[in-house]
Amino acid sequence: METNPPKRRDNKKSLRVKVISLGNAEVGKSCIIKRYCEKRFVPKYLATIGIDYGVTKVQVRDREIKVNIFDMAGHPFFYEVRNEFYKDSQGVLLVYDVGLRESFDALDSWLGEMKQEMGSQANMDSIVFVVCANKVDLTKRRVVDEGEGRLWAESRGFHYFETSAQSGEGINEMFQAFFSSITDMCENGGKRPVSEVSVGFTKEQADTIRRIRNSKDSWDMLGVKPGATREEVNKAYRKLAVLLHPDKCVAPGSEDAFKAVGFLLGLTCSVRHLLLHISSLLKSSSPHSASLCSVCRFWFFLSSFF
Ligand SMILES: Nc1nc2c(ncn2[C@@H]2O[C@H](COP(=O)(O)OP(=O)(O)OP(=O)(O)O)[C@@H](O)[C@H]2O)c(=O)[nH]1
Ligand SMILES: [Mg+2]
């Protein structure tokens, strides 16, 4: 008599993963999670006290994933509570508010806090990061554009998504990509697959473009100290030219940054040129030296517009 054959287990073993959310207070971390897990939006601000914990199950291809979500408080006051929870994370949601530049600028310090707390465990290649540019529904107050956010994220090998917990825009796509990448990583022996992180430009190029975009003055744009010597300035120019040349750099915004540096170089050369002319005018009595070359005439012409 034929006995029942043992049930075939078609599904691969289920996975249990830990993800955390990071970012300044009020950027929308809890609302993003709530929008995904509970399909609702809470307009009233209810600050997370320390940590909120939740579990959800998702299906990625033929695997069941049990996700433990640790939603961290962004307020500095809760640092002592947060720091216990960084370890053993496979995924990190890094959230900023597109209407608040300081929340975007703070992303580096969030990574810093995480690395510090993880200590020797800090192997960032074994963690999937997703950057959420949140509150994109509030278009009028937006101050950090997509190019800038994407550049910061992708140059570090992180995913980038534009999200709105209020309208739901980007939320499901973001979580699907997040969980799918974590699954890929686990199946890849705990290493983030390389193909995902190669974007064709380096972190140095991305950081330089960002610095040039936000530079307060010419020194800042060149990345030298105020009052730097001519040699230091020339060296900085050469470095930027190599780093940002459009033939070599495909990072978004590189062309504008290259043009800005080129304009500054043109201006510096012309001012130097003009000073040479003035000094030769003062020194010489010859009427020929009083005529200006085309570079000087161009800058005189330009200055007439201001
Ligand atoms: N318009 C708009 N408001 C949002 C969005 N996401 C969150 N908010 C609002 O922003 C405020 C803060 O949201 P939370 O999710 O509590 O912020 P949080 O980052 O968790 O803050 P902490 O817990 O203090 O770290 C709330 O009033 C939300 O309603 C969004 O996408 N669009
Ligand atoms: Mg919260």
Side-chain angles (χ1 to χ4, degrees), residues 21 23-32 41-49 71-75 78 95 97 134-138 141 163-167:
S21 67
N24 280 7
E26 256 184 275
V27 294
K29 300 179 293 296
S30 304
C31 284
I32 287 174
F41 175 68
V42 186
K44 192 163 178 266
Y45 175 43
L46 299 163
T48 302
I49 309 297
D71 176 26
M72 307 243 196
H75 199 283
F78 294 111
V95 185
D97 174 346
N134 194 40
K135 305 198 188 183
V136 291
D137 55 289
L138 301 173
R141 63 184 276 279
T163 58
S164 166
Q166 194 239 40
S167 69

Side-chain angles (χ1 to χ4, degrees), residues 43-106:
K44 192 163 178 266
Y45 175 43
L46 299 163
T48 302
I49 309 297
I51 301 277
D52 269 347
Y53 171 73
V55 188
T56 188
K57 271 187 195 165
V58 292
Q59 189 75 25
V60 176
R61 298 184 291 272
D62 53 354
R63 259 191 206 275
E64 186 187 77
I65 318 287
K66 203 176 268 182
V67 189
N68 295 285
I69 305 176
F70 292 81
D71 176 26
M72 307 243 196
H75 199 283
F77 181 77
F78 294 111
Y79 166 69
E80 295 291 341
V81 186
R82 272 197 312 264
N83 62 13
E84 295 291 320
F85 291 89
Y86 282 111
K87 289 186 177 135
D88 305 317
S89 306
Q90 278 89 27
V92 175
L93 283 183
L94 270 174
V95 185
Y96 70 92
D97 174 346
V98 294
L100 288 173
R101 177 160 289 280
E102 60 266 31
S103 72
F104 175 62
D105 291 340

